[in-house]
């Protein structure tokens, strides 16, 4: 599946448009990670546990978006965007969305 943040795809033409597809996940902080993060705030630096958690959440949201696009027969998603929203204390929703299309090379 081809993913791009652009409105078009160089070297390809759009054969069919399927519309908006999306994927999301909601992640909660973990007590063990919170303790390590608290210690890290004392000495400073990157909180790698949260960086890894958010990277995994973005990948899961994009995988779910790609799965939805595949149901339509799409082989590309244009205008891909990611959004993160606060849900409640210690949780966040990550949403990936874009326009599912069928493309072929020029």
């Amino acid at each position: 599946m081809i993913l791009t943040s652009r409105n078009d795809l160089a070297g390809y033409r759009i054969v069919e448009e399927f519309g908006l597809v999306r994927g999301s996940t909601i992640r909660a902080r973990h007590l063990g990670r919170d303790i390590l993060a608290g210690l890290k705030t004392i000495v400073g630096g990157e909180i790698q546990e949260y960086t890894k958690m958010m990277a995994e959440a973005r990948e899961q949201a994009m995988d779910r978006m790609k799965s939805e696009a595949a149901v339509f027969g799409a082989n590309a998603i244009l205008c891909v965007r990611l959004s993160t929203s606060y849900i409640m204390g210690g949780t966040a929703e990550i949403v990936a969305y874009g326009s599912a299309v069928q493309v072929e090379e020029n």
Side-chain angles (χ1 to χ4, degrees):
M1 176 86 53
I2 301 169
L3 301 179
T4 183
S5 60
R6 296 177 46 99
N7 296 333
D8 56 6
L9 195 56
Y12 292 84
R13 66 182 183 89
I14 297 172
V15 176
E16 190 170 358
E17 296 181 30
F18 301 104
L20 181 69
V21 290
R22 63 188 117 358
S24 69
T25 186
I26 297 174
R27 292 293 173 105
R29 295 186 330 209
H30 181 275
L31 180 59
R33 288 184 181 140
D34 285 351
I35 292 168
L36 292 172
L39 294 172
K40 186 61 98 170
T41 60
I42 294 170
V43 297
E46 179 181 5
I47 302 172
Q48 294 177 348
E49 295 80 17
Y50 288 149
T51 300
K52 182 180 177 190
M53 180 183 73
M54 293 306 290
E56 290 169 353
R58 285 189 294 274
E59 286 301 317
Q60 185 174 43
M62 289 195 303
D63 287 345
R64 290 176 177 178
M65 175 186 65
K66 289 189 284 188
S67 293
E68 185 175 320
V71 168
F72 294 110
N75 63 355
I77 304 174
L78 307 180
C79 306
V80 172
R81 302 290 185 266
L82 292 166
S83 176
T84 303
S85 302
Y86 170 81
I87 301 296
M88 59 183 241
T91 65
E93 178 186 33
I94 294 82
V95 178
Y97 59 96
S99 297
V101 295
Q102 178 73 39
V103 296
E104 63 182 32
E105 291 188 59
N106 284 333

